[in-house]
Amino acid sequence: KAGVTQTPRYLIKTRGQQVTLSCSPISGHRSVSWYQQTPGQGLQFLFEYFSETQRNKGNFPGRFSGRQFSNSRSEMNVSTLELGDSALYLCASSLGTSRETQYFGPGTRLLVL
Amino acid sequence: GQQVMQIPQYQHVQEGEDFTTYCNSSTTLSNIQWYKQRPGGHPVFLIQLVKSGEVKKQKRLTFQFGEAKKNSSLHITATQTTDVGTYFCAGPDTGFQKLVFGTGTRLLVSP
């Protein structure tokens, strides 16, 4: 089975721009979660999608949003980028819920200048 | 909210030495999961513990779940350079349907 894939792998943006990241889960997995990883804050939960519905949300501002398509693929959008948004964005899929074992993708490294 | 702390934050050992990281939750956990993230990589699931006092082994790695199900440890015997990385524990959030990851322990092994 193919693993979780994320595109793009690297991205450079400037402040004020917006960005869309994509994630394709493992086939058969219906839950997709997004995490932000920074050296100072560790792994922070952004949100989880299941059957095209956002099921959980972390403590991030409304500039961070996402969606899930009928094929379970998910996208994450960050609007009005700030310098502090520079991070590794990880997508993880699981069979049922985000409390279960998470299978992570390689991540998208975002640099905001 | 629920917090999961790990100590130490960082450890540098010589190859062949043992290593232990400790994970402590502010609340009782239904289970604990451990992940390893190699430098430049992504977290990879290692193991899940469910029962109070449970001990599981994977070759040189020994995982323990505390009796009160609020703490856990990962012990590596005779470290190798391939053990380099950051080790995270994670537990289900009691209020929400998500995993809360620990702060991580970064292990560096010198040959």
Side-chain angles (χ1 to χ4, degrees):
Chain A
K1 245 184 201 179
V4 178
T5 58
Q6 290 186 248
T7 57
R9 294 292 311 277
Y10 304 93
L11 210 46
I12 299 176
K13 292 285 187 178
T14 55
R15 278 183 300 173
Q17 287 187 308
Q18 76 164 25
V19 66
T20 299
L21 313 180
S22 180
C23 170
S24 292
I26 292 172
S27 177
H29 285 193
R30 298 171 65 188
S31 169
V32 174
S33 298
W34 288 88
Y35 297 84
Q36 182 195 65
Q37 186 173 36
T38 58
Q41 297 297 317
L43 270 166
Q44 300 291 315
F45 174 81
L46 280 155
F47 30 64
E48 182 216 359
Y49 285 87
F50 183 88
S51 292
E52 302 178 63
T53 302
Q54 186 182 89
R55 195 157 60 172
N56 289 294
K57 192 176 190 307
N59 296 322
F60 279 81
R63 301 185 296 107
F64 292 81
S65 63
R67 59 178 175 168
Q68 187 180 35
F69 302 95
S70 58
N71 61 358
S72 292
R73 190 177 70 85
S74 176
E75 285 182 349
M76 186 191 111
N77 184 273
V78 188
S79 62
T80 320
L81 284 165
E82 300 176 359
L83 296 179
D85 297 332
S86 294
L88 178 66
Y89 290 88
L90 292 160
C91 162
S93 73
S94 58
L95 275 171
T97 77
S98 57
R99 292 164 62 101
E100 299 170 1
T101 300
Q102 299 285 286
Y103 295 88
F104 286 86
T108 295
R109 191 164 294 279
L110 172 65
L111 177 61
V112 182
L113 302 175
Chain B
Q2 180 180 342
Q3 291 187 327
V4 181
M5 304 296 292
Q6 283 182 253
I7 54 171
Q9 279 190 313
Y10 170 81
Q11 188 152 9
H12 184 181
V13 301
Q14 294 293 315
E15 191 171 25
E17 292 181 336
D18 291 357
F19 160 77
T20 304
T21 173
Y22 299 91
C23 171
N24 293 287
S25 170
S26 58
T27 61
T28 302
L29 300 169
S30 57
N31 68 73
I32 190 88
Q33 300 177 27
W34 284 91
Y35 294 77
K36 176 184 177 182
Q37 184 174 20
R38 294 181 187 273
H42 56 277
V44 174
F45 173 76
L46 293 176
I47 206 162
Q48 176 174 286
L49 306 172
V50 179
K51 299 176 184 175
S52 168
E54 188 171 11
V55 178
K56 284 189 177 180
K57 291 190 175 185
Q58 286 182 348
K59 297 182 180 179
R60 295 177 294 102
L61 277 60
T62 301
F63 303 84
Q64 279 191 300
F65 200 9
E67 294 290 339
K69 302 182 78 173
K70 293 183 72 175
N71 56 73
S72 181
S73 65
L74 158 58
H75 178 82
I76 301 178
T77 303
T79 54
Q80 300 175 357
T81 54
T82 53
D83 296 324
V84 165
T86 301
Y87 293 85
F88 293 96
C89 62
D93 188 292
T94 51
F96 302 93
Q97 297 289 323
K98 63 181 174 77
L99 276 181
V100 176
F101 280 82
T103 46
T105 295
R106 184 179 165 208
L107 172 64
L108 183 61
V109 181
S110 294

